[in-house]
Amino acid sequence: MSSADSLQVLPAGAGYGIVVGIGGVFAALMLGITYLQNRYTLYSTEQSEEFNTASRSVKPGLIAAGIVSSWTWSATLLTSSTFAYSYGIGGPLWYGVMGTLQILLFALIAIKIKSKAPGAHTFPEIVMARHGKIAHATYLFNGLATNMLVGACLVLGGSQVVAALSGMNVYAACYLIPLVVAAYVIAGGLRSTFIADYVHTVILFVAIFVFGFTMYSTSDIVGSPSRFYDLIQDASAKMPIAGNYEGSYLTFKSINGLVFAIDLLVAGFSTVWLDQAYWQRAIASRSETSIKAYLFGGMAWLGIPFGFATIMGLGCAALTSSPSFPTYPLPLSAAQNGAGLSSPATAIALLGKGGAALMLLLLFMAVTSSTSAELIAVSSLLTFDIYKLYFRPNATSSELVRVSHISIVIYATVLASFCAILNAVNVNLTWILTVLGVIVGGASIPVGLILLWKRMSTAAAIFSPWIGLAFGLVAWFVTTSKRSGEISVLATGDAINAVAGNVTSWLGGALVAVILTFAFPHKFSSDDPAYIARANKINGVAVTPPQQEQRPGSTEKDIETAHPLPEKPSLHSPARSSTLSGNEPSAPVEPETVVPTGNPIVDFLEATQIQPIDPVLAKRGTRIAIIFNAVYICIAIILFPMAFFGSEYVFSRQAFTGWVVVSFLWVWFSSVICIVWPLWESRGALWEIGRGAWKDLGGRERG
């Protein structure tokens, strides 16, 4: 990426220091936290159910923080800013509302998992339980392809920016980033990724607040929203945006921006609905609070691209005329902008080398947090959907954990090599994000219909993703050839060329699924006892209506105790004592293939068919999710942005000031959801760990 050399303001040692040094420190921190968890709580990462599903006990605040962190890719920070720099004030909002929609819609999937497939570990397992192994292989392929492309967005984007700012070898970054993250994921499993997500999110918000307060209040160059407005007006005059109304940065009327928003919509469906990391968070959440976690997590995530890109993307345009801008007096080149360097350029213009270092740290946190989720997600797919299903159906819990560890190393190595190849052929972050929906978009709607639509047939489940992919590829290449006259990386990455393939693949898969369901309504069935037992385990037993009905006006506490797990022993209870001493529980665990662990919660989850959530609560949660999504789509997707788009409104000084204030307040709202809420709801567990550690220290001192 030679075109990015002019942004190098840090020595190569700074890049290696952040990736290896801070990465190593962070890995050691996560290992320490994992030790405390294993030592002072009932949740042991040596057991498969805890390693891969966090014992299905994670509270909504930490789930929400995990959603925000895992959906905050390097692309969220880099591409959202590129979107603002390329298309103006509407870019950050378009990026935010399109991405948030996927999370909010996934709330419907989350409640269906809890009500229809409470025993699942992965989404291909759910497909297999309904439509057999051929359909399972189809969605396993699409899931792994999605994880590979998402991982490339994370690692390649982060590596290229680290190389651009510090001169670190980009290939070294491609390998070091995933391998450093793999260290603490192997030790801590899924719960460690939630804890890592939380710590990463705290650092993320601190960095955003530093950039925000600098831009809006303390900078000598900008220092106020009013001055920011003047600089953007100057940029509109000197660097008008082709396709924007009057070439202005201060209007929503951007044809190219709307096209890219559609690309993001399709890519978002693919990267959420086909990403095992999101299913894994739904599986790990508590049944009664999964809806709450996804709705709050989605609205909290909106603040990241909306607030950050308003600061750093529009800031890039505003600061281009400043001598502190790294390419002054020239604007960013097309290659630099495509590589996502608009926000790093703003950081350098605002804070010099300190800004570059802070931006590197921010990107490293975003990349490692999301990569950790992808690592554990792929390890679950390889462990449960390949190893256990096809090679060792009776594998023990400890054996599955070992396979998960090996899978993490394999995926980290393959992902690093894939990113190195993409870099060698000059593929950048924006290209991957733009075309991702073409490749896997055909399966994104069908996988949702498998859970959400009772009539979905097996033929539709199997063939619709492949037909959608074929339609998308044909539309993509034909459109590219006709419009650009060639098939190349640059031409295929054009937003209009890519949107043809994205939309065709996405809608093609959805329409074919509906047509095939009515044409071939047969559903898979089997009389194989092993298949039936496995499907029953995934789907859960039928809910027996409780004697005491759910009454209108019931409290949240009533809801949370509808289907409790076995009572959790205290730190000093007999059950806990036997766990620490290595004794097994007195009663044998069924079925026979499950080896007792000594942990009553994990034994319960691994040996018992987990009942679906109470149908009354499931119906209520579904209704809340549908209403919330309908209101969100009407206001955030249609009414608000389209009113600005259609009116050709150009923001006045007062309107722009209000816009800036709202975007920054949203960041504060997001920080409360992601930082304060998880601490408050986990206060009991933190107290238990602290008390146990204090007693251990006291015992050593007396000894």
Side-chain angles (χ1 to χ4, degrees), residues 316-374:
C316 185
L319 294 170
T320 301
S321 59
S322 170
S324 63
F325 195 74
T327 62
Y328 178 83
L330 300 175
L332 293 180
S333 67
Q336 290 168 334
N337 190 38
L341 297 181
S342 56
S343 51
T346 305
I348 294 170
L350 283 175
L351 297 169
K353 291 184 178 181
L358 182 59
M359 192 68 205
L360 276 184
L361 178 62
L362 178 61
L363 287 173
F364 183 74
M365 292 294 101
V367 171
T368 54
S369 176
S370 302
T371 303
S372 69
E374 297 303 311

Side-chain angles (χ1 to χ4, degrees), residues 649-666:
Y649 179 72
V650 178
F651 278 66
S652 65
R653 186 183 305 275
Q654 292 77 14
F656 178 76
T657 300
W659 186 266
V660 164
V661 170
V662 169
S663 68
F664 204 45
L665 285 177
W666 209 301

Side-chain angles (χ1 to χ4, degrees), residues 127 131 134-139 142 442-443 446-447 450 456-471 505 508-517 519-520 522:
V127 175
H131 299 291
I134 296 177
H136 171 266
T138 295
Y139 290 91
N142 280 279
V447 74
I450 288 172
M456 184 76 166
S457 71
T458 297
I462 293 173
F463 292 109
S464 57
W466 302 114
I467 296 173
L469 171 61
F471 286 172
S505 179
L511 290 174
V512 169
V514 174
I515 293 170
L516 290 180
T517 293
F520 305 97
H522 174 74

Side-chain angles (χ1 to χ4, degrees), residues 183-205:
Y184 70 76
V185 175
I186 287 174
L190 181 60
R191 196 179 298 271
S192 79
T193 70
F194 282 113
I195 298 170
D197 286 345
Y198 178 78
V199 177
H200 287 157
T201 303
V202 172
I203 297 172
L204 170 73
F205 279 110

